[in-house]
Amino acid sequence: MTAAAAGGAIRLPRDLPERGREFTRRLRAWYRVHARDLPWRRTRDPWAVLVSELMLQQTQVSRVLLKYDEFLGRYPTLESVARSSSRRVQEAWSGLGYYARARNLHRLARTVVGGGGALPDEPEALRRLPGVGRYTAGAVASFAYGRRAALVDTNVARVLRRVFTRRTDPRTARGRARLWAIAERILPRSGAAVWSHNQALMELGALVCTARVRRCTICPVAAACDTRRADLARTTGGR
């Protein structure tokens, strides 16, 4: 099985369709029980979703929780940011760091308002906006608009690599292309299901399949995981 990518075809696991369905089913069932109640999960407003995704880049959830509602209280719409100055937007962003995100948000708001006032609903159009990369475009498209869009951040990349393709190096362009191809292949068919699927992928990487600790004994997808199988094979001597 292959997927088109720069530099040639990307080979995907032969059993990806079957194992991907089982993985997704188990993952979403786990998420329904264990999902954290986070404010940006209670809205489908594209502006609020975009703000949350930019805030969460390279920033811990606990810090974002302290600023998210406050920022939206001051800037509840794209238009309110577009009318403000970059300096004031950065002041409202204070405490989150990486102020280029606030500057990009201000530029994005003015770009969108100047072009008609609505955030696009397709990933390709979103990626043309200042500060919006492939992950953020997929997040806004799926979480705000219910589009069938994949997303791969650090947490998702780690989960997908460990489960489906443990020898893939996510630091290489080809490795990243392979992980994105897997993410796209295992997406559910409906937009509503994609919302919970993408949220669950990020949640699993944040709470269970973390960078420092693999909590395989409580992982809902351990039965479908390449890395877990390899660990068990080593423990039992290959039996």
Side-chain angles (χ1 to χ4, degrees):
M1 187 183 298
T2 62
I10 297 295
R11 296 186 63 82
L12 301 180
R14 291 181 179 276
D15 62 349
L16 183 61
E18 297 79 13
R19 195 148 54 102
R21 284 192 292 271
E22 180 66 11
F23 168 85
T24 297
R25 183 186 66 78
R26 291 175 176 270
L27 179 70
R28 290 174 57 208
W30 170 83
Y31 179 77
R32 285 193 291 270
V33 176
H34 296 282
R36 290 171 291 179
D37 181 20
L38 301 173
W40 44 88
R41 289 178 175 164
R42 302 183 213 129
T43 181
R44 298 296 185 273
D45 175 55
W47 170 243
V49 170
L50 174 66
V51 169
S52 72
E53 291 302 331
L54 292 180
M55 284 186 171
L56 288 163
Q57 291 175 8
Q58 299 177 295
T59 303
Q60 294 179 337
V61 168
S62 58
R63 291 178 62 193
V64 175
L65 285 170
L66 296 174
K67 295 295 294 187
Y68 178 71
D69 287 334
E70 177 187 327
F71 186 90
L72 286 177
R74 184 168 177 178
Y75 293 113
T77 63
L78 270 166
E79 291 77 12
S80 61
V81 169
R83 290 193 300 267
S84 186
S85 68
S86 179
R87 179 180 62 81
R88 290 189 179 278
V89 173
Q90 290 179 73
E91 287 174 357
W93 196 269
S94 177
L96 293 172
Y98 300 98
Y99 288 93
R101 294 176 296 174
R103 293 192 293 272
N104 282 330
L105 188 63
H106 183 252
R107 289 173 54 218
L108 180 152
R110 290 197 165 181
T111 298
V112 172
V113 170
L119 277 172
D121 59 359
E122 295 295 340
E124 295 78 10
L126 285 161
R127 288 182 68 183
R128 291 194 285 269
L129 297 174
V132 176
R134 189 176 183 183
Y135 163 80
T136 302
V140 173
S142 64
F143 297 151
Y145 294 111
R147 294 291 183 263
R148 192 173 181 272
L151 52 83
V152 179
D153 66 356
T154 302
N155 282 338
V156 172
R158 182 171 59 253
V159 170
L160 295 181
R161 179 182 63 80
R162 287 174 175 172
V163 172
F164 295 108
T165 178
R166 64 189 178 88
R167 299 188 187 280
T168 292
D169 185 350
R171 296 170 296 182
T172 67
R174 192 167 184 82
R176 290 190 294 273
R178 191 173 203 217
L179 293 171
W180 271 97
I182 290 172
E184 289 167 353
R185 288 295 181 93
I186 66 172
L187 281 174
R189 293 186 180 278
S190 75
V194 169
W195 186 96
S196 59
H197 170 86
N198 283 341
Q199 292 282 3
L201 267 175
M202 294 190 297
E203 195 79 330
L204 190 73
L207 301 182
V208 177
C209 192
T210 70
R212 297 191 178 204
V213 180
R214 288 190 282 114
R215 297 181 174 89
C216 298
T217 57
I218 63 169
C219 180
V221 298
C225 180
D226 280 349
T227 302
R228 178 61 170 166
R229 290 173 181 173
D231 286 348
L232 292 174
R234 283 194 296 270
T235 301
T236 60
R239 294 192 298 274

